[in-house]
């Protein structure tokens, strides 16, 4: 079988054409469609067509925050690396990850909690618009829910897509049932690459 060599600039376009074809005409709405398809593009997993949950108006809320120069905080350096920081900077924002910070590691050890939890506490110190992109740590989602209920945190949006088996489903359900604007991947699937893909899908709506 002959293999067609596709030019680099055409690979993404062709990939999205294939995804659209395989979805058999399914459309997820003006706001959500590009996000669902980019997650499928990143993961090659069509389950995300059914797994992704969007709270009412979350995409517009996230876009408004990005236009105002939102700070994006991730729970892993992998998610941090995967986000297109050039475009975030052009929008007046920045991307941060506190998971490897010395003060975070020390506080987590002293208190017997995860670094992801302490990272979310550190995110409370950020002024202005805030988007949280969680792709690995369900404890980050648990702590976000707690901090919001305590009035210490008010994110413009939470991307809740940690992957795994321990407390993952339960932590995601906390966010889904909350009043926090969210995009969540139901079930065990997710990952830092998915969190980054969702953020990139959002910023590509504004500038590319």
């Amino acid at each position: 079988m002959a293999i067609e060599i596709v030019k680099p600039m055409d690979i993404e376009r062709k990939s999205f054409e294939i995804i659209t074809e395989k979805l058999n005409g399914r459309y997820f709405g003006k706001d959500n469609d590009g996000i669902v398809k980019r997650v499928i593009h990143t993961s090659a997993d069509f389950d995300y067509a059914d797994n992704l949950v969007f709270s009412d108006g979350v995409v517009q809320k996230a876009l408004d925050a990005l236009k105002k120069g939102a700070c994006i905080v991730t729970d892993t350096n992998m998610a941090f690396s995967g986000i297109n920081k050039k475009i975030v900077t052009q929008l007046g924002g920045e991307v941060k990850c506190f998971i490897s910070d010395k003060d975070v590691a020390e506080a987590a050890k002293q208190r017997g909690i995860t670094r992801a939890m302490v990272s979310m506490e550190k995110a409370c110190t950020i002024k202005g618009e805030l988007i949280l992109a969680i792709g690995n740590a369900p404890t980050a989602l648990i702590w976000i829910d707690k901090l919001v209920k305590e009035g210490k945190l008010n994110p413009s949006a939470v991307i809740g897509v940690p992957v795994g088996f321990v407390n993952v489903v339960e932590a995601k359900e906390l966010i889904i049932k909350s009043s926090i604007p969210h995009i969540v991947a139901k079930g065990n699937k997710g990952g830092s690459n998915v969190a980054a893909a969702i953020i990139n899908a959002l910023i590509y709506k504004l500038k590319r």
Side-chain angles (χ1 to χ4, degrees):
M1 183 178 71
I3 298 176
E4 177 190 0
I5 304 301
V6 181
K7 294 179 181 179
M9 65 186 72
D10 293 331
I11 291 174
E12 182 176 290
R13 176 187 57 77
K14 190 171 182 64
S15 294
F16 275 85
E17 289 174 357
I18 292 169
I19 290 166
T20 299
E21 181 181 349
K22 286 185 176 294
L23 285 169
N24 295 317
R26 288 186 67 182
Y27 181 63
F28 306 94
K30 178 174 65 72
D31 287 341
N32 303 349
D33 195 68
I35 296 170
V36 174
K37 289 176 180 176
R38 183 157 294 279
V39 170
I40 293 172
H41 175 260
T42 296
S43 63
D45 189 342
F46 282 84
D47 283 353
Y48 287 105
D50 300 303
N51 290 353
L52 288 178
V53 176
F54 296 78
S55 65
D56 290 342
V58 61
V59 171
Q60 195 56 55
K61 289 172 185 174
L63 295 177
D64 289 344
L66 289 166
K67 289 176 186 176
K68 295 175 183 176
C71 179
I72 301 163
V73 175
T74 74
D75 66 328
T76 65
N77 286 313
M78 185 181 294
F80 174 87
S81 297
I83 293 170
N84 190 323
K85 287 174 283 296
K86 180 179 179 181
I87 295 181
V88 174
T89 301
Q90 289 173 351
L91 292 168
E94 57 183 332
V95 185
K96 293 178 179 289
C97 180
F98 302 128
I99 203 74
S100 298
D101 290 5
K102 185 178 178 180
D103 60 330
V104 169
E106 289 176 350
K109 185 176 181 180
Q110 287 176 356
R111 296 165 58 191
I113 61 175
T114 70
R115 287 185 293 165
M117 289 174 167
V118 180
S119 292
M120 295 305 102
E121 292 178 352
K122 193 166 182 177
C124 294
T125 65
I126 294 172
K127 306 298 182 184
E129 302 286 343
L130 174 66
I131 296 174
L132 302 171
I134 311 303
N136 182 69
T139 55
L141 295 185
I142 294 167
W143 230 235
I144 289 167
D145 182 66
K146 173 180 178 292
L147 292 167
V148 168
K149 287 175 178 174
E150 292 174 350
K152 298 176 181 177
L153 191 62
N154 184 31
S156 302
V158 170
I159 312 304
V161 293
V163 60
F165 299 96
V166 179
N167 291 328
V168 168
V169 173
E170 295 83 355
K172 290 174 177 178
E173 285 298 321
L174 272 179
I175 302 300
I176 290 171
K177 292 176 181 177
S178 75
S179 60
I180 303 167
H182 61 264
I183 302 173
V184 171
K186 292 188 297 183
N188 303 104
K189 292 185 177 183
S192 296
N193 60 328
V194 174
I198 293 171
I199 293 294
N200 286 336
L202 289 166
I203 62 177
Y204 292 160
K205 283 179 174 287
L206 297 175
K207 194 168 188 178
R208 194 174 189 187

